[in-house]
Amino acid sequence: MRLSLFLYAPALCSSILQPGTLTYKSIGAKKTTSASNTVNAQPTSSDASILTDSKCFSNPEVEMADNSLKSFAQHLKAFVESGEFAAEEFEWSAHKLEKKLLDIVAQVTRYQYCHDLVEQLQFLQHVYKSMMWAVPVLTHYDSLGNKGLQLTTFAIGLNVAIFGLFDSHGHPDYRARDYRSRVYTFMDVLEFRRLEFQSLNDVPFSIRYVFQEQILQADKSLKFLELYISERREKR
C-alpha cells in the first residue's frame, strides 16, 4: 500500500512546467527580470498573439475554440471553488470531461499557430491530468489510522485546490473570489500541516518523500501567487 501512494508521486510532484513568464510555468523557475517587471496585468506575448496574428484575429472558429477552453477551465475550477478539491464529484464527471477535452484538442490542433490557444490547452491538460492522478489517492486510498498518510493526502489535495487561483492560461487569477484571503489561508494551513508532520515519528521514507515534495510544490505556488498580490498593492 505504501508503494501505491509512492507511485502517484511522479505526476503529482512534477507540476512545474517549462520556465515561462507570468504563468504557472514560472513557479520555481529562475528569475530573469525583477518582480515589478515580471508581474503585471498586461498580456504576455502568448496572450497578445491571438489579438495581433492576422490568421487568428477575428476568426470565428478560433474564437469558438477559445470559448471552449475557457468553459472547460470553469468546469475544472468548479471542483476547487470551495477551497478544497471535490475529488468524488470530479470522478463522477471525469468521463464526460475527458470527451470534452478530446473535442477541444481536435479544435485547437487545427490552429496550432495561435499560441494563445495552445498555451491554454497545455495548462488545462496539465490541471486535468493532475486532478485525475489525485482522485485515487484522495478517494480510494485508506489512510485511516495513519497520520502520515492523512497529511500526505491533504498535501496532494491542497496542490490541486491551488489550481483554482490560476486562470485558463496558468496566470494568477487575481479576479477569483477572495483571491487574497484564499492565498493566505492556504499558506497558514500549509505551515500548520508541515509542523504537524514534522512532529511525527517513524514515518516511512516513501511517505515522507511524497509529503515533502507536495508541500514544496504548494509552497512555491503560493509564494508565486503572493508575489502577484504584493505587486498589485505597490501599483495602487
Side-chain angles (χ1 to χ4, degrees):
M1 294 298 287
R2 293 174 185 166
L3 180 60
S4 298
L5 179 61
F6 188 74
L7 288 174
Y8 295 131
L12 292 165
C13 295
S14 62
S15 299
I16 305 173
L17 307 182
Q18 295 302 312
T21 301
L22 233 191
T23 70
Y24 183 77
K25 295 178 287 186
S26 302
I27 300 171
K30 183 177 181 181
K31 295 181 180 178
T32 56
T33 60
S34 66
S36 60
N37 291 329
T38 302
V39 180
N40 55 70
Q42 299 302 314
T44 64
S45 59
S46 294
D47 292 324
S49 64
I50 196 170
L51 302 175
T52 59
D53 192 322
S54 60
K55 296 178 182 178
C56 301
F57 183 65
S58 297
N59 184 328
E61 293 187 5
V62 170
E63 184 176 350
M64 187 179 301
D66 184 60
N67 289 336
S68 295
L69 286 161
K70 288 179 169 54
S71 175
F72 189 75
Q74 290 306 309
H75 273 95
L76 295 182
K77 291 183 76 167
F79 296 105
V80 294
E81 185 66 22
S82 68
E84 296 182 359
F85 177 39
E88 292 185 359
E89 288 82 354
F90 175 84
E91 186 173 30
W92 296 335
S93 305
H95 187 58
K96 290 182 179 179
L97 289 170
E98 177 84 12
K99 289 183 176 179
K100 186 180 294 290
L101 182 57
L102 289 174
D103 289 342
I104 294 173
V105 169
Q107 282 182 287
V108 174
T109 299
R110 295 196 293 270
Y111 305 102
Q112 294 186 45
Y113 49 81
C114 294
H115 303 301
D116 181 82
L117 298 182
V118 174
E119 179 187 65
Q120 290 183 79
L121 177 60
Q122 289 177 339
F123 178 68
L124 294 177
Q125 284 178 314
H126 172 68
V127 174
Y128 175 78
K129 183 176 181 180
S130 296
M131 288 181 169
M132 284 296 296
W133 277 98
V135 164
V137 182
L138 299 175
T139 62
H140 301 298
Y141 196 89
D142 183 11
S143 62
L144 293 178
N146 188 321
K147 192 63 176 179
L149 277 179
Q150 290 175 6
L151 291 173
T152 300
T153 56
F154 157 79
I156 290 170
L158 177 62
N159 269 309
V160 176
I162 289 172
F163 283 130
L165 295 174
F166 291 90
D167 65 15
S168 62
H169 298 262
H171 303 170
D173 186 7
Y174 64 90
R175 297 183 183 87
R177 178 178 57 86
D178 299 327
Y179 176 90
R180 184 178 183 277
S181 63
R182 289 168 70 183
V183 170
Y184 288 124
T185 296
F186 281 149
M187 284 182 160
D188 290 342
V189 173
L190 181 148
E191 184 59 24
F192 178 79
R193 297 302 187 187
R194 190 205 311 266
L195 294 174
E196 191 175 7
F197 191 90
Q198 288 176 355
S199 69
L200 300 178
N201 297 316
D202 302 323
V203 177
F205 174 76
S206 60
I207 301 303
R208 186 174 297 278
Y209 178 88
V210 174
F211 177 83
Q212 290 175 343
E213 288 294 307
Q214 289 296 302
I215 289 296
L216 177 62
Q217 175 59 33
D219 187 57
K220 287 180 179 178
S221 299
L222 292 170
K223 285 180 178 175
F224 179 71
L225 293 166
E226 183 188 29
L227 177 65
Y228 199 81
I229 294 173
S230 301
E231 289 301 316
R232 288 186 60 78
R233 186 186 299 122
E234 289 177 7
K235 290 179 180 180
R236 291 177 181 175

